[in-house]
Amino acid sequence: MNAIVNPFIVSGKIPDKYFCDRQTESEMLMRFVGSQEHVVLMS
């Protein structure tokens, strides 16, 4: 029987390679957090 492997990382440190092309979004999120605004992330 073949085991099913979950392709998503759900714990531990997430490797940098999984954060691609999100520079603008990262900067915006850091501004919101720095100004103590409420943030909702949806995916």
Side-chain angles (χ1 to χ4, degrees):
M1 177 181 238
N2 293 336
I4 296 174
V5 177
N6 184 349
F8 302 102
I9 299 173
V10 295
S11 65
K13 185 176 187 291
I14 309 297
D16 290 343
K17 68 180 182 178
Y18 292 104
F19 292 97
C20 59
D21 302 324
R22 297 286 190 233
Q23 189 64 38
T24 301
E25 292 86 350
S26 295
E27 291 169 358
M28 184 171 50
L29 180 58
M30 293 305 294
R31 281 195 311 272
F32 288 149
V33 170
S35 63
Q36 299 180 345
E37 293 187 44
H38 295 279
V39 177
V40 176
L41 300 178
M42 296 172 49
S43 66

